[in-house]
Amino acid sequence: MIEKDGRSRVVIEHVQPQINSGRFPVKRTVGERLTVIADVFADGHDEVRAALLVKHEQDSDWQEIPMEFQGNDRWEASFTPEKRGVYEYTVQGWVDHLLTWQKGLKKKFEAIQDVGVELLIGANWIEEAAERAPAHDAQTLRNWATQLRNESNQSAGVTFALSQEVTKLVEAYPDKKYASLYHRTLFMEAERQKALFSTWYEFFPRSASNEPGKHGTFKDCEQVLPRIAEMGFDTIYLPPIHPIGDSNRKGANNSVTAQPGEPGSPWAIGSKDGGHKSIHPQLGSIDDFVSLVNKAKDFNIEVAIDVAFQCSPDHPYVKEHPQWFRWRPDGSVQYAENPPKKYQDVLPINFETEDWENLWKELKSVFEYWIDKGVYIFRVDNPHTKSFIFWEWCIREIRRQHPDAIFLAEAFTRPRVMEQLAKIGFNQSYTYYTWRNTQFEIKQYMTELTKTDMREYYRPNFWPNTPDILPEMLQNGGESAHISRVVMAATLSSNYGLYGPVYEFGINTPVYAGKEEYLDSEKYEVKHWDWNRKTKIRDVMTRINRIRRENPALQTTWNIEFGETDNQQLLCYAKVDDYKSNKILVVVNLDPHHVQSGWIKVPVQYLNLSTGSTYTVNDLMTDTRYQWHHEWNYVELHPGVMPVHVFRIE
């Protein structure tokens, strides 16, 4: 059985981007260009043309975008999504007989051969194009065909046949009756711009009170909003805001036994006061929370909440749906473990329960409940310990009804697992940036994120610290490390965040040497912060956030180019916007203890600078200007003064 017309001669291969052979959509935001490449060729010596076909899921008609020949049978075209939603795209290719004729005509004429018959053949091709054209162009094409047939001067005929006017009009009506179509339709999801560019500040609402020893409330959080807005953050992320269980409650520094009055970990969700759709009573009411969400909007800030699908032994789910948990032979319920660690205050959910359909519906309803309260950004705790197939279904269903929803995967685990979470729907992802410290490590990691197919689906969000993670660099590097790490996070990645108060105050004491956890962690205590206190780190955070807002080159992750250095303790990289008008060059001293100096090679070609030119670099961190010459230039960075340059090339 012949499945398609045997006269379709064009082969279409290696269409990129596509994820898992088209199983998952690639990711873009509205206004962010998608470039598609493909190998398109045919047998013999006939000329081939190709087009990218694109349509939004709500549209019925395909948009055709001509592909440009790049050499060696490779073709390329780009399109920019103008609205949110899923776009379909594929590639079409066909033999272009007119172009083939034109090239043959030119060669024969230049070889001083008789081309009388060739002109007649061309007249036939032009006449066929007229049959595909609307009336106003069809008549023009017929007139041209007649002109070629009647032309007695071959030189004039060739000149006319090869003219731009003829070529352009005939190309508008190609002969596609034997066109080939790529065997697969691919997908791209266009999301709102915040999925690509966002700035997160994490703090615990219970520590928002101005009064020492007093449990904070959502009303207290409202008082903190102007300060966070002043620093330039557009997203505040709140750890779980739900009732905390009493059973097996953890005490200070993760002690197995809590002392009277100790608040417990917010991630031990659920008590007699409710579960994942309830508010911790000491934080206020649901109306207070909605008020906070609305007040934040006045400062152009969105509230993101933590969704942790795990339960305290006191969670209502445990009594109402015991089948959703694992029970041990002694009749006790299985708590969370990561041997040798034990989390006696947390029960994992059993996604292999026979009642999985009701479980899925209930968990999805948690997101729907908070969306109804005005929350559209969710930091999902440990999603890699839950079912992949559940997340794919849940995120797809939520985003179908609420395309503004953004899901950040808080997963520090194996690379393939983190990549799978991004493929199945998470809009942003935590990364290994926290542990990438050397020049080699950072370059290698950024290359992996931006120059491989991870760029098409894995949207990184760089965090220099979290309540769970106090990396060794911050422990030992002090203020200088806090400054360099936040500036790198904010300029390497267009999405970044930090666990705020301890970061800006430079708190860096671990539980013990070699342990990447904060001593007296806020996870287990109510803290009191001096919200009016100013620090150099806070000033740097404020400055770099302003720089990000004012420079489009820093509003995407994918446009990075590294420069060479003669000192491994110096890191140099450049970023430019799509129009090559905004040019940023960052130089970082990776050594938090010593002055480092050396020569850096500016990537002048990437920055669209001539090799021998003189140009001004303005350090936006210090508002200092320098005149630089050629590619190689000298820098010296003092960790006690400012360990980074963020230059704008003017």
Side-chain angles (χ1 to χ4, degrees):
M1 177 180 176
I2 299 175
E3 297 183 354
K4 68 175 185 177
D5 196 315
R7 293 168 291 184
S8 299
R9 297 164 49 203
V10 172
V11 177
I12 303 172
E13 294 183 331
H14 306 133
V15 177
Q16 295 294 334
Q18 58 177 292
I19 310 304
N20 287 44
S21 301
R23 164 76 170 80
F24 303 106
V26 300
K27 293 178 182 175
R28 291 296 186 273
T29 54
V30 173
E32 185 183 11
R33 184 173 63 243
L34 174 70
T35 297
V36 177
I37 60 174
D39 291 338
V40 184
F41 56 93
D43 59 275
H45 302 289
D46 287 334
E47 296 296 324
V48 168
R49 288 175 63 197
L52 172 63
L53 304 182
V54 183
K55 78 179 188 71
H56 191 274
E57 59 184 342
Q58 296 175 345
D59 298 336
S60 55
D61 297 328
W62 291 85
Q63 174 189 0
E64 182 176 311
I65 303 171
M67 300 187 81
E68 299 290 333
F69 183 62
Q70 303 298 308
N72 198 26
D73 296 321
R74 177 61 54 89
W75 295 75
E76 179 180 298
S78 299
F79 77 97
T80 301
E82 298 179 348
K83 58 183 177 181
R84 289 173 307 192
V86 175
Y87 286 78
E88 301 174 29
Y89 64 95
T90 191
V91 172
Q92 185 182 52
W94 62 96
V95 172
D96 189 326
H97 293 290
L98 180 83
L99 183 59
T100 302
W101 165 73
Q102 282 183 318
K103 290 197 172 183
L105 175 68
K106 185 173 186 292
K107 290 178 180 179
K108 290 178 180 180
F109 182 73
E110 290 175 346
I112 318 177
Q113 296 179 6
D114 185 283
V115 293
V117 175
E118 298 301 319
L119 292 175
L120 295 178
I121 292 172
N124 290 340
W125 286 123
I126 293 174
E127 216 160 49
E128 286 190 18
E131 295 176 6
R132 298 185 292 271
H136 62 284
D137 285 338
Q139 188 57 51
T140 300
L141 290 166
R142 291 191 188 98
N143 292 340
W144 288 351
T146 300
Q147 182 177 338
L148 278 183
R149 287 196 180 96
N150 297 332
E151 183 60 68
S152 58
N153 185 322
Q154 290 191 6
S155 177
V158 170
T159 300
F160 176 68
L162 299 181
S163 68
Q164 289 263 358
E165 185 182 17
V166 170
T167 301
K168 184 176 180 181
L169 187 57
V170 176
E171 281 185 347
Y173 307 106
D175 181 7
K176 292 187 177 182
K177 60 178 175 290
Y178 306 133
S180 298
L181 196 66
Y182 184 58
H183 67 276
R184 182 177 291 135
T185 297
L186 304 170
F187 300 91
M188 184 273 293
E189 184 173 9
E191 305 164 19
R192 62 173 170 136
Q193 209 252 346
K194 195 157 190 173
L196 176 66
F197 180 60
S198 60
T199 312
W200 297 52
Y201 185 96
E202 177 182 3
F203 72 99
F204 287 70
R206 69 188 187 185
S207 296
S209 174
N210 280 322
E211 298 182 31
K214 184 179 179 181
H215 194 288
T217 67
F218 293 131
K219 291 298 182 185
D220 294 321
C221 293
E222 290 187 12
Q223 303 305 311
V224 180
L225 287 174
R227 178 183 185 280
I228 295 175
E230 179 186 344
M231 287 191 287
F233 291 92
D234 58 37
T235 306
I236 57 171
Y237 154 49
L238 309 180
I241 55 177
H242 315 297
I244 298 172
D246 292 313
S247 298
N248 302 327
R249 176 176 287 194
K250 293 296 185 74
N253 288 309
N254 201 22
S255 171
V256 175
T257 304
Q259 299 302 312
E262 289 191 308
S265 167
W267 282 272
I269 297 170
S271 75
K272 65 181 187 313
D273 295 309
H276 286 76
K277 300 175 186 175
S278 301
I279 295 290
H280 192 294
Q282 288 180 277
L283 292 175
S285 66
I286 190 64
D287 290 337
D288 293 333
F289 176 75
V290 172
S291 174
L292 171 63
V293 171
N294 292 330
K295 177 69 72 172
K297 292 176 184 177
D298 295 339
F299 294 93
N300 294 316
I301 291 174
E302 286 192 67
V303 174
I305 65 170
D306 193 294
V307 172
F309 283 145
Q310 59 200 31
C311 300
S312 154
D314 305 323
H315 196 295
Y317 286 165
V318 180
K319 287 186 178 180
E320 296 169 4
H321 304 282
Q323 70 276 19
W324 293 353
F325 303 89
R326 294 187 185 275
W327 296 84
R328 302 190 296 186
D330 64 357
S332 62
V333 65
Q334 177 66 58
Y335 54 75
E337 291 185 90
N338 184 12
K341 294 182 179 180
K342 297 183 178 182
Y343 304 93
Q344 297 91 337
D345 58 338
V346 171
L347 308 181
I349 292 172
N350 177 20
F351 280 85
E352 293 182 351
T353 175
E354 293 185 3
D355 192 31
W356 62 270
E357 291 183 89
N358 287 322
L359 170 64
W360 282 24
K361 291 175 184 177
E362 174 59 24
L363 298 183
K364 175 172 152 297
S365 75
V366 171
F367 291 109
E368 293 169 333
Y369 177 86
W370 294 107
I371 288 172
D372 183 62
K373 304 300 183 258
V375 175
Y376 286 87
I377 304 180
F378 303 96
R379 180 268 200 187
V380 179
D381 187 74
N382 283 335
H384 56 290
T385 62
K386 288 81 182 173
S387 164
F388 290 138
I389 192 172
F390 161 73
W391 285 126
E392 185 174 3
W393 169 82
C394 181
I395 294 174
R396 181 183 66 242
E397 293 301 307
I398 292 293
R399 288 184 52 78
R400 181 176 293 162
Q401 297 297 319
H402 307 283
D404 276 349
I406 292 175
F407 296 82
L408 168 62
E410 185 265 347
F412 299 107
T413 182
R414 304 186 307 281
R416 301 297 86 82
V417 174
M418 295 170 71
E419 292 162 16
Q420 183 71 7
L421 290 168
K423 290 175 183 177
I424 63 179
F426 280 91
N427 313 86
Q428 298 179 9
S429 305
Y430 277 49
T431 70
Y432 300 140
Y433 166 71
T434 317
W435 300 277
R436 299 297 185 262
N437 298 310
T438 68
Q439 183 193 99
F440 174 79
E441 290 170 342
I442 294 170
K443 283 185 175 182
Q444 184 184 53
Y445 192 45
M446 289 304 299
T447 298
E448 180 184 357
L449 290 173
T450 65
K451 309 300 183 185
T452 70
D453 67 352
M454 285 185 71
R455 179 262 178 273
E456 309 298 345
Y457 63 88
Y458 194 94
R459 198 179 283 124
N461 193 321
F462 278 11
W463 288 67
N465 77 324
T466 77
D468 290 305
I469 303 170
L470 170 61
E472 184 178 356
M473 176 61 76
L474 296 183
Q475 293 180 30
N476 300 326
E479 181 181 78
S480 176
H482 280 73
I483 290 173
S484 61
R485 294 298 293 178
V486 72
V487 170
M488 283 194 294
T491 54
L492 289 168
S493 174
S494 52
N495 291 307
Y496 95 96
L498 47 78
Y499 166 36
V502 302
Y503 202 94
E504 60 177 289
F505 299 142
I507 297 170
N508 63 343
T509 305
V511 174
Y512 54 82
K515 184 74 169 176
E516 287 191 330
E517 293 182 18
Y518 286 94
L519 179 66
D520 302 325
S521 171
E522 194 174 2
K523 286 179 62 177
Y524 310 103
E525 301 180 23
V526 174
K527 295 290 188 180
H528 171 70
W529 305 114
D530 180 359
W531 294 105
N532 296 316
R533 180 182 169 194
K534 296 184 182 298
T535 68
K536 183 177 179 180
I537 299 171
R538 174 184 170 183
D539 180 61
V540 167
M541 290 160 54
T542 303
R543 202 170 308 179
I544 196 62
N545 287 342
R546 184 182 69 247
I547 292 169
R548 279 162 51 92
R549 291 194 306 273
E550 295 175 352
N551 291 275
L554 296 176
Q555 294 172 15
T556 180
T557 302
W558 319 118
N559 58 342
I560 192 166
E561 184 77 15
F562 286 97
E564 297 179 35
T565 71
D566 67 354
N567 181 344
Q568 292 299 304
Q569 292 294 340
L570 295 176
L571 178 70
C572 173
Y573 51 94
K575 288 194 164 190
V576 298
D577 68 344
D578 286 343
Y579 304 101
K580 301 285 186 179
S581 59
N582 184 231
K583 306 172 185 180
I584 298 294
L585 183 74
V586 180
V587 186
V588 184
N589 179 356
L590 299 174
D591 179 356
H593 304 293
H594 304 97
V595 175
Q596 294 292 340
S597 61
W599 291 83
I600 63 169
K601 185 180 182 182
V602 178
V604 292
Q605 185 174 359
Y606 175 73
L607 292 168
N608 201 28
L609 301 170
S610 59
T611 303
S613 64
T614 297
Y615 46 95
T616 299
V617 292
N618 178 16
D619 188 349
L620 302 176
M621 300 299 294
T622 60
D623 198 26
T624 306
R625 286 174 169 79
Y626 305 89
Q627 288 292 116
W628 279 10
H629 310 278
H630 312 299
E631 290 181 294
W632 287 93
N633 289 273
Y634 178 81
V635 297
E636 185 173 287
L637 286 166
H638 297 244
V641 181
M642 184 60 68
V644 296
H645 288 306
V646 181
F647 293 121
R648 183 166 58 210
I649 298 176
E650 300 175 349

